Amino acid sequence: MAIEPETKNWTWVIDSPCPECGYDGSTVSIRDVPGIMDANTSAWPAELARADVHERPDDHTWSPLEYGAHVRDVHRRMLGRLQLMLAEDAPTFANWDQDATAVEDRYDEQDPTVVARELGEAAHRAARAFDEVRDDQLERTGLRSDGSTFTVASLAVYYAHDPVHHLWDVRRTR
């Protein structure tokens, strides 16, 4: 669907404004991320209660429900990556095929009320974990399976773009 694959070309997300959603990673620090997540998360229940929550606007774009399930899983995945980076020296993250996950986990068949609750819970856990990162942990690194290196600080800024962008995706389909 309309998901950015996990490729080496990710740094634009933290270096410049997204030409679509307007998120500007160059103005965001890890200390901003919990507030961004809290504000973003508060908007999802209304989007997941929409009458068209199951409808895809076209064959190449997810429904609001599928985006919501994906965002829930982004929160879970990024929390896991943060925890790994804080516990291990330069861990390698498992690859995540986001489209395969959507099919395997049947995002399109999930209950929107459950997804809204789980998204809120996952976002809260991740936001609090990023909020608790100490200054001396900001430069700890982790590697994506494609060789891309993140610091805890850059992972946070990268992570914040995804829920913001997908809320934009969902709102533009109204």
Side-chain angles (χ1 to χ4, degrees):
M1 293 296 107
I3 301 297
E4 174 193 338
E6 289 201 340
T7 65
K8 286 189 179 188
N9 187 16
W10 63 270
T11 58
W12 69 270
V13 170
I14 63 169
D15 293 334
S16 59
C18 175
E20 294 177 342
C21 73
Y23 174 87
D24 187 353
S26 70
T27 67
V28 175
S29 82
I30 190 171
R31 302 302 174 214
D32 301 318
V33 170
I36 292 169
M37 290 302 104
D38 291 343
N40 179 271
T41 301
S42 69
W44 278 99
E47 300 302 332
L48 291 168
R50 290 169 37 173
D52 68 344
V53 72
H54 292 279
E55 295 175 24
R56 289 183 169 184
D58 59 58
D59 291 340
H60 304 290
T61 306
W62 280 349
S63 69
L65 174 59
E66 290 167 300
Y67 275 119
H70 169 71
V71 168
R72 173 203 58 211
D73 289 352
V74 166
H75 291 304
R76 290 172 175 170
R77 174 96 26 190
M78 293 303 163
L79 172 60
R81 289 180 177 183
L82 173 63
Q83 290 169 331
L84 239 126
M85 292 171 79
L86 296 177
E88 298 178 17
D89 290 331
T92 298
F93 311 135
N95 189 40
W96 184 27
D97 184 333
Q98 300 165 8
D99 289 321
T101 300
V103 172
E104 291 165 8
D105 290 354
R106 300 178 183 206
Y107 282 178
D108 61 327
E109 296 178 17
Q110 293 186 21
D111 180 333
T113 304
V114 172
V115 171
R117 179 180 44 79
E118 291 175 345
L119 187 156
E121 292 167 352
H124 178 75
R125 282 191 299 278
R128 298 301 63 85
F130 278 95
D131 192 38
E132 293 171 2
V133 170
R134 299 184 321 259
D135 288 346
D136 67 327
Q137 296 173 312
L138 294 176
E139 296 304 314
R140 292 186 61 81
T141 60
L143 304 169
R144 234 174 21 194
S145 59
D146 67 5
S148 297
T149 302
F150 286 89
T151 63
V152 168
S154 67
L155 180 72
V157 175
Y158 174 79
Y159 156 53
H161 174 252
D162 210 76
V164 169
H165 192 97
H166 293 318
L167 183 60
W168 176 84
D169 283 327
V170 166
R171 287 179 167 167
R172 71 186 173 101
T173 64
R174 285 187 188 153

